[in-house]
Amino acid sequence: MAVTINTLREYKQKGEAFSALTSYDATFAQIVSEAGVDVILIGDSLGMVLQGNDSTLPVTMDEIVYHTSCVAKGNRGSLIMADMPFMSYGTVEAALENAAELMRAGAHMVKLEGTDWMKDTIEALSERGVPVCAHLGLTPQFVNKFGGYKVQGRDEKAAELMIEHACELVEAGADVILLECVPAPLAARITQAVRAPVIGIGAGADTDGQVLVVHDMLGLTTGRKPRFVKNFLAETDSVQNAIKAYVEQVRNRTFPAEEHTFKA
C-alpha cells in the first residue's frame, strides 16, 4: 500500500516514528522502498555524494528532475520527496514552474529550504496541489550565509524564532517540516507545536520521522563523519538488511541514540 501524506499524518497522530532515506536511482529506490522506508528523498545532496562538489549549490533543476524520474521508476510504494535546488524557488513564479517539473517527473512532494520568507511560495504551491516540505535549521543551500555547516537554534532567541517560523510555514500550507542539525530539545518543542509531521536529521529522537543520506547510513561517508550518522551496514551482512535495520531502529526509536544527538 502506497505511503501518502495522510499516512505520515496518521503516524504522527499515533506517535509512531517513520523513516526516510535519500535515493538517486531506480535500483536504490526499489531496495529502499521494499525495505519499508516510508519516504524517499531525492536530495540535492547528490551534488556532494554523486558529483563530488563541496556543497549542494551547483545542482541544477535538470539534474534533480532526471534523478527523480529514475527513482520513480524503481519506487515500490514510498512517498517521493524531491529537493528544489538552489535559487529554483527564488520567486513564486519560478517555484510553481519548477515544482510542476518535479511533480511530472514522479515526485509526490517538493522540499524547500528557508524561513518565513517562503510563506507566499508555500501557499501558492499548496493551493495548486503541490505538497511541500519546509526545511529549517541547518539549510545547506545557505552555507555561505552561515559561514559553514553549523548547528542552528542553540540560543533561546534563535530557538523561539525557529518555532515561530515552523508554525507560520505550516499555517501557510507546509505539509511536512524537516529539521536539520538543531538541538534535540528544540526539535521536540517544534514537533509538539505543529500539526504537520516533523522529520529530523541530527535533531534527536523526538521528531516524528528520521532521514539520512543513504551513503552515510551504509558507511560510505567520505571525510569527517557527521555526529548524527550511523553505519548500519557494519551491523549486518547486506545493503538490504542494513536498510531494514535502519527502518526498525527508527520505528522503535533506538536511532538516533544519545551519541547522534545535539543537546545544545
Side-chain angles (χ1 to χ4, degrees):
M1 191 170 173
V3 177
T4 69
I5 293 173
N6 285 338
T7 311
L8 304 186
R9 290 171 181 153
E10 288 170 8
Y11 284 142
K12 183 179 181 82
Q13 290 168 1
K14 294 176 181 177
E16 297 176 3
F18 62 88
S19 59
L21 272 179
T22 63
S23 292
Y24 315 102
D25 61 48
T27 300
F28 262 101
Q30 182 170 343
I31 291 170
V32 164
S33 56
E34 288 180 344
V37 171
D38 297 289
V39 179
I40 295 176
L41 170 63
I42 300 94
D44 56 6
S45 51
L46 68 87
M48 302 170 84
V49 299
L50 298 188
Q51 297 174 341
N53 298 312
D54 61 3
S55 77
T56 64
L57 272 61
V59 177
T60 66
M61 268 302 302
D62 285 346
E63 289 164 348
I64 293 284
V65 168
Y66 168 76
H67 287 282
T68 299
S69 68
C70 293
V71 165
K73 291 181 178 74
N75 182 39
R76 298 294 184 269
S78 299
L79 186 147
I80 297 175
M81 180 192 299
D83 267 342
M84 296 192 69
F86 181 63
M87 289 302 291
S88 65
Y89 48 100
T91 65
V92 172
E93 292 73 20
L96 293 175
E97 182 177 341
N98 289 324
E101 253 199 286
L102 288 172
M103 299 295 281
R104 292 189 192 106
H108 304 126
M109 176 181 291
V110 299
K111 180 165 76 64
L112 289 65
E113 299 181 14
T115 57
D116 57 342
W117 62 267
M118 298 195 303
K119 287 188 292 186
D120 290 346
T121 299
I122 290 173
E123 185 174 354
L125 288 167
S126 184
E127 286 176 347
R128 290 159 177 81
V130 180
V132 176
C133 172
H135 184 155
L136 297 170
L138 171 55
T139 45
Q141 292 176 15
F142 290 74
V143 61
N144 292 311
K145 287 289 287 184
F146 291 154
Y149 298 98
K150 303 175 181 179
V151 177
Q152 302 295 308
R154 280 189 148 147
D155 63 81
E156 188 57 28
K157 182 178 179 181
E160 290 294 340
L161 191 59
M162 198 180 303
I163 294 170
E164 181 181 322
H165 287 159
C167 292
E168 289 177 353
L169 296 180
V170 171
E171 190 62 31
D175 299 279
V176 173
I177 296 291
L178 189 146
L179 300 176
E180 180 169 357
C181 290
V182 302
L186 172 57
R189 289 169 66 189
I190 293 173
T191 302
Q192 289 295 318
V194 299
R195 62 180 179 274
V198 176
I199 300 173
I201 177 168
D206 293 323
T207 54
D208 302 303
Q210 300 291 332
V211 64
L212 283 177
V213 172
V214 69
H215 293 66
D216 288 341
M217 60 81 57
L218 292 175
L220 301 177
T221 309
T222 57
R224 186 177 66 84
K225 186 179 79 170
R227 179 185 180 92
F228 53 79
V229 168
K230 176 180 177 179
N231 178 1
F232 286 83
L233 189 56
E235 300 177 351
T236 56
D237 58 0
S238 70
V239 169
Q240 288 88 341
N241 286 335
I243 295 171
K244 288 177 182 176
Y246 167 71
V247 170
E248 180 59 29
Q249 290 181 37
V250 169
R251 283 179 179 161
N252 63 29
R253 297 189 187 272
T254 55
F255 176 82
E258 192 81 15
E259 64 264 29
H260 309 116
T261 299
F262 303 103
K263 288 300 183 185

